[in-house]
Amino acid sequence: MNRLALARADDALILGHRLSEWCGHAPALEEDLALANIALDLIGQARSLYTLAGAATGHDEDHLAYLRDERAFTNLLLVERPNGDFAVTITRQFLYSAYIDPYWRSIAATQSPLAPIAAKAAKESAYHLRHAAEWLIRLGDGTAESHRRAQTALTQLWPYTDELFDPITPDDIAVPRETWDTTVNAVLAEATLTRPDPKWQHRGGRLGTHTEHLGHLLAEMQSLHRSNPGATW
Amino acid sequence: MNDLLVRARTAASTVCDPEIPVLTIADLGMLRDVRLSGDTVEVEITPTYSGCPAMNMIALEIETALHQAGIPHARVTTTLTPAWTTDWLTAEGREKLRAYGIAPPPPASTRRALFGETTTICPRCSSPDTEQLAEFGSTSCKSLWRCRACREPFDLFKCH
Ligand SMILES: [Zn+2]
């Protein structure tokens, strides 16, 4: 099993599923379409990555997405955080995209088996990053209420960001912390938001030790396939 | 190229993108190769977007088109490399898009285009005085725009 592809696939699938939960509930029609489109990109990336991850062991994308238990998922804790309000969803998307966009561009330029998938994903993540950054600026530098919500979201999610920088396998590439800091600090400054400095950082997603939220997500996402094994459209 | 492959390529080239029915997969640059593998014709396509939901339907329509062209053994495969780019849209494809009311994508050769820092021309009145309404439109490949000159809303095929 390609553990690197599997973990990156888990990140994309879980975050994509989270965004799909907004479908029909977003604050505006344009935003409903945007979140659904981003979810579709992420789930598409997950499909390619799962296919790569399971190629050596004969596991297909459906098996890896629908028939593994919580402990077998190695996604970041950040991406399984519940949607919360719109500010939480946007902040989560921004913190993840600010890492994964330079990550895809870097790994696309290597000989990694992930490179072809990364070359496509990098074009998509560039749009995702811009979308989330523009919203975060609008929320932070908007009304007193939107500012308060954006700052609360940032403070809640910040203790899940260190895990972004942990390499998944020895052959994984690492995006320098300064690259992420440059993007994040510039957007936070424009959004008039304060960068949190928590004493504690949560980890464990990469080892399969998840928060209670992932189990609920999987129960919903996997129920159809588990009750109808081998179901196809 | 032998006659079978010419017929196969002609048939595959007629298949349209279900989301933009004026464009064929050849116009889009999605059709990468048509080759013989034993007695089976193998058609290789590349997805436009990772999550493009039309891929399964396109594969099915290629097989149908080949069967109708009298080619019983056909298989569709997908490839990710090299990654598809809107630069592969043919000149004819770009003109078909514009006539259909969708602004063709700007060249993707620079990352600036990805971030929309180029002029978008209204596909109806050709005015450059346009503004983006929403980055994400009705499908992954489009954003929603408005022309300030003729006041018409229109889609832009996003640079990729
Ligand atoms: Zn116009």
Side-chain angles (χ1 to χ4, degrees), chain A residues 29-31 33-38 40-48 101 105 115-117 119-131 134, chain B residues 46-53 56 80-81 83-86 108 111 113-117 132-142 144 158-160:
Chain A
L29 180 59
E30 287 80 2
E31 212 33 45
L33 288 172
L35 294 175
N37 269 312
I38 296 169
L40 200 58
D41 284 343
L42 290 169
I43 293 167
Q45 293 166 12
R47 292 186 61 183
S48 298
D101 180 54
R105 273 185 283 135
I117 300 168
K120 287 204 83 62
K123 301 187 187 193
E124 292 153 3
S125 61
Y127 279 112
H128 303 172
L129 175 58
R130 182 164 70 152
H131 167 262
E134 283 179 353
Chain B
T46 191
T48 50
Y49 289 73
S50 300
C52 179
N56 291 349
L80 288 179
T81 38
W84 180 82
T85 156
T86 38
R111 248 179 105 76
L114 262 185
F115 285 94
E117 292 160 3
Q132 181 176 277
L133 296 177
E135 172 91 70
F136 293 85
S138 53
T139 65
S140 302
C141 56
K142 288 176 262 169
L144 187 61
K158 287 199 285 198
C159 161
H160 213 64

Side-chain angles (χ1 to χ4, degrees), chain B residues 122 124-127 147 149-152:
Chain B
C122 171
R124 296 180 191 278
C125 75
S126 303
S127 167
C147 175
C150 72
R151 308 303 297 168
E152 285 289 330

